Amino acid sequence: MIVFTALMIYPLVWMLSSSLKESSSVFVDAHSLIPKGLHFENYITGWQGFGGITFSTFFLNSAIIAVVATVGSIISSTIIAYGFARIKFAGKKVWFICMMLTMMLPFEMVMIPQYIMFNSFGWIDTYLPLILPTFFGIPFFIFLIMQFIRTIPIELDEAARIDGCNSLGIFFRIIVPLIVPAMMTSAIFSFYWRWDDFMGPLIYLSTPEKYPVSLALKLFSDPNSVTNWGAMFAMSTLSIVPIFVIFFFFQRYIVDGISTSGLKG
């Protein structure tokens, strides 16, 4: 475990070390994890950004996309999962199969049709293609939450109906409080998937003021000039801080979401 942990952590340590090296020596001394001098000015230079746009703007853009998309995906996925797990309706199995099939489609297969569709809507160079689709459910989260709901005894629903609860009341009063671990697990995955997303912003955004961090880091690499590797790795290091913070404070929900049965008390 120690060996595998070291292999997993080494790229992060190398990136942190490179962020403190002089830009010209990053790849010259790539074998060394100890910088010859601590160049904290890489963080200052990197934070200044490009064309008067600082990285505070890029971080804010990433936060807006990640947070709103996460809220949308969790709310919609939870409602859809409840429908599949507890509500009887015509064609339920067919729709569930269709939903599962979408998980098997690679993004490259739907990339062009989606771009044509969003372009016809006038959504290009806006956050709508990155955020709005999440409000219609994410198949992986639907399946995860649905399986969690199925572990909750159906007798709880029946008891609630005897007490006068309808389906909506059962959902909010019985189901939601019991599936918080599964919802939080989905929220963690959704947040860092959206935070790290590069291809989506690359396709739909063209205005630098709207770039998230993942796309802004690309601006450091300029084939026509000298790339400031130190500043790039400095901003790359800062870009993973929110992910570490989110995971550190909410990692117990991942364990609960996987190991618990969904029944509390």
Side-chain angles (χ1 to χ4, degrees):
M1 289 298 294
I2 293 176
V3 173
F4 281 111
T5 301
L7 291 175
M8 295 291 291
I9 294 178
Y10 179 81
L12 299 178
V13 176
W14 186 89
M15 181 176 66
L16 176 61
S17 173
S18 298
S19 71
L20 298 173
K21 294 180 181 179
E22 186 179 359
S23 182
S24 59
S25 65
V26 169
F27 293 104
V28 175
D29 298 329
H31 60 282
S32 176
L33 294 179
I34 303 176
K36 293 181 179 179
L38 299 180
H39 295 270
F40 289 102
E41 64 271 14
N42 289 334
Y43 287 86
I44 299 175
T45 303
W47 192 262
Q48 293 174 353
F50 315 91
I53 309 173
T54 65
F55 256 79
S56 59
T57 300
F58 300 135
F59 271 92
L60 179 61
N61 295 340
S62 289
I64 292 174
I65 295 173
V67 171
V68 178
T70 296
V71 171
S73 62
I74 300 309
I75 292 176
S76 59
S77 298
T78 303
I79 295 173
I80 296 172
Y82 174 68
F84 277 125
R86 286 291 200 261
I87 306 298
K88 295 181 179 180
F89 56 90
K92 178 178 178 179
K93 293 183 179 180
V94 175
W95 287 114
F96 178 74
I97 292 174
C98 291
M99 186 271 293
M100 294 299 295
L101 288 176
T102 61
M103 296 177 62
M104 304 178 188
L105 295 176
F107 177 71
E108 291 78 9
M109 189 173 182
V110 299
M111 181 170 57
I112 296 177
Q114 282 185 348
Y115 183 88
I116 295 174
M117 181 178 65
F118 293 145
N119 184 49
S120 66
F121 294 162
W123 290 0
I124 301 302
D125 200 27
T126 70
Y127 293 148
L128 291 177
L130 305 175
I131 294 176
L132 197 58
T134 64
F135 281 79
F136 294 90
I138 305 298
F140 175 74
F141 299 151
I142 294 172
F143 180 75
L144 175 67
I145 298 174
M146 184 188 71
Q147 294 301 105
F148 200 91
I149 293 176
R150 285 179 172 176
T151 64
I152 301 175
I154 193 68
E155 288 78 13
L156 294 179
D157 297 32
E158 296 171 351
R161 289 190 185 278
I162 293 175
D163 290 337
C165 271
N166 54 19
S167 297
L168 195 62
I170 293 173
F171 175 70
F172 284 108
R173 296 186 180 186
I174 306 296
I175 302 299
V176 171
L178 295 177
I179 63 172
V180 169
M183 293 172 64
M184 291 301 300
T185 301
S186 301
I188 294 170
F189 281 114
S190 176
F191 182 86
Y192 73 69
W193 284 350
R194 296 299 168 182
W195 184 272
D196 292 340
D197 185 25
F198 175 79
M199 187 59 69
L202 179 64
I203 295 173
Y204 297 114
L205 300 179
S206 57
T207 304
E209 289 84 355
K210 299 177 182 179
Y211 284 179
V213 174
S214 58
L215 191 56
L217 290 173
K218 172 180 171 291
L219 298 178
F220 279 109
S221 179
D222 187 355
N224 299 319
S225 63
V226 178
T227 300
N228 191 340
W229 295 110
M232 174 187 284
F233 287 124
M235 292 302 98
S236 297
T237 301
L238 291 182
S239 70
I240 65 174
V241 171
I243 302 299
F244 274 102
V245 172
I246 292 294
F247 185 81
F248 178 79
F249 284 102
F250 298 102
Q251 62 176 327
R252 68 183 183 89
Y253 288 104
I254 296 180
V255 178
D256 290 343
I258 296 174
S259 62
T260 61
S261 64
L263 183 61
K264 305 295 182 181

